[in-house]
Amino acid sequence: MTDANQELHQIATTVFEEVGFLFPTAEPQPSESREDPLQAAISVSFSGAADGRLVLAAFGSLLPTLASNMLGEDEPPSHKQQEDALGEIANIICGNVLPKVLGKSNVFRLQAPQLIGADGLSARPGEECLAKAEVYLEEGFARLALFAGAKQ
Amino acid sequence: MSVNVLVVDDSSVMRSIIVKTLRISGLPIGHIYQASNGREGLDVLKDHWIDIALVDINMPEMNGIEMIEAVRKSEDTAELPILVVSTESSETTINELWAKGVEFVHKPFAPEVLREAVIRMTGVRTDDGCESGTPSDSDDSF
């Protein structure tokens, strides 16, 4: 694992733990197979010292538990709330990983998280993947990638 | 004494987390007003007495830095305690924020960190300190 991949993995794990109260599992469990369906994917675009985006995709059954934990609600959150919760997780991960990977004195402006489809998970023409990670959690897994290079 | 709080963040989920954190903090919290960007935050400040504002940085329409600058320019709000609650990690930006007389809590934050910052900035007493406080259960959403 490269340093950038390690930073992204570490930050994502910490954010899922501290904000989402979801804890990592060391190895994929049978229920966390990569065949699990994509639940939702979020992109957080940034500009400044570099332009790019962080992509976070949730697989398995992460979303309802994540949103319930973040909101502290007993009742199941709405689908919109679940997507908002994932968006906030992506936003926090992006804000924390950029200085680690691209320099702590650099200034970046983050855009609001956007829901994207499966076709947005891969690098676009002109984009470079700076870091990628998978975080396995009790309820599924998350796949992350940090892309830079293409104007948003 | 209870403190009125303004929470400015474009994420409704993060506003909910902050509001819940304040409500269970044991601090005597009065009304908690919410706004989804700096412009809405300034509108709340025009109409309500606020003891402390918790402000995100990256927001649409008017971001947190623009809001803070507007707050500091206004005679009515120039001295308002402002706690920036943000993912912002750039040393350059954080130093600029310090120069504007604000404090900073980094997301993700532990509830105790937010609580301690509010105590430090407002001087409010807590029920595990010297005086007791009863959190209000009313929220006023913008």
Side-chain angles (χ1 to χ4, degrees):
Chain A
M1 193 182 287
T2 67
D3 287 350
N5 290 351
Q6 205 160 2
E7 291 281 11
L8 180 58
H9 186 273
Q10 179 58 50
I11 287 168
T13 301
T14 300
V15 172
F16 274 111
E17 278 184 10
E18 295 187 357
V19 183
F21 305 104
L22 291 177
F23 298 94
T25 55
E27 298 292 334
Q29 302 297 307
S31 63
E32 296 168 335
S33 153
R34 289 167 190 249
E35 306 305 318
D36 284 355
L38 172 68
Q39 280 197 301
I42 297 287
S43 174
V44 178
S45 296
F46 58 87
S47 57
D51 292 341
R53 62 192 176 108
L54 178 118
V55 170
L56 167 60
F59 295 85
S61 54
L62 278 182
L63 283 189
T65 307
L66 177 70
S68 292
N69 290 353
M70 288 175 71
L71 291 166
E73 303 286 353
D74 292 332
E75 294 187 8
S78 68
H79 194 66
K80 176 72 169 61
Q81 287 175 310
Q82 294 178 30
E83 291 172 351
D84 286 350
L86 189 67
E88 187 56 24
I89 291 286
N91 183 54
I92 296 173
I93 292 171
C94 188
N96 280 275
V97 80
L98 288 178
K100 297 280 189 184
V101 174
L102 294 171
K104 60 185 178 182
S105 61
N106 286 328
V107 178
F108 299 95
R109 180 177 171 81
L110 274 59
Q111 304 299 314
Q114 299 286 326
L115 203 60
I116 58 172
D119 56 344
L121 301 181
S122 304
R124 298 168 180 158
E127 280 187 335
E128 175 191 2
C129 182
L130 300 177
K132 59 183 178 180
E134 287 187 351
V135 178
Y136 287 89
L137 302 156
E138 294 153 350
E139 308 288 343
F141 72 96
R143 185 173 290 157
L144 301 102
L146 180 65
F147 298 113
K151 288 286 179 187
Q152 302 303 301
Chain B
M1 167 193 160
S2 64
V3 293
N4 289 346
V5 182
L6 168 61
V7 180
V8 187
D9 196 307
D10 58 328
S11 165
S12 62
V13 171
M14 183 48 67
R15 292 201 304 271
S16 295
I17 291 172
I18 292 172
V19 168
K20 284 185 190 298
T21 301
L22 292 170
R23 289 291 177 212
I24 64 174
S25 67
L27 300 175
I29 301 295
H31 288 283
I32 301 178
Y33 299 90
Q34 299 185 42
S36 62
N37 61 57
R39 181 80 56 205
E40 289 182 3
L42 292 177
D43 288 342
V44 173
L45 288 172
K46 283 180 193 164
D47 296 334
H48 304 281
W49 176 261
I50 300 295
D51 295 292
I52 183 170
L54 279 56
V55 180
D56 187 21
I57 293 299
N58 287 299
M59 295 182 289
E61 193 167 339
M62 176 184 275
N63 67 34
I65 292 176
E66 293 166 336
M67 177 187 167
I68 290 165
E69 288 171 347
V71 167
R72 291 292 182 248
K73 278 181 188 167
S74 166
E75 199 173 300
D76 293 337
T77 57
E79 302 298 323
L80 175 71
I82 298 176
L83 178 62
V84 171
V85 183
S86 173
T87 62
E88 184 62 60
S89 302
S90 157
E91 285 180 350
T92 306
T93 304
I94 292 173
N95 287 337
E96 286 175 5
L97 289 167
W98 279 104
K100 295 181 194 304
V102 308
E103 291 210 21
F104 190 86
V105 166
H106 192 263
K107 296 177 188 172
F109 58 82
E112 306 80 50
V113 172
L114 194 69
R115 179 176 180 273
E116 291 305 316
V118 172
I119 292 171
R120 191 168 56 249
M121 296 179 72
T122 62
V124 68
R125 301 293 189 135
T126 67
D127 52 8
D128 61 358
C130 300
E131 299 175 3
S132 63
T134 305
S136 159
D137 58 0
S138 63
D139 287 345
D140 293 336
S141 296
F142 180 76

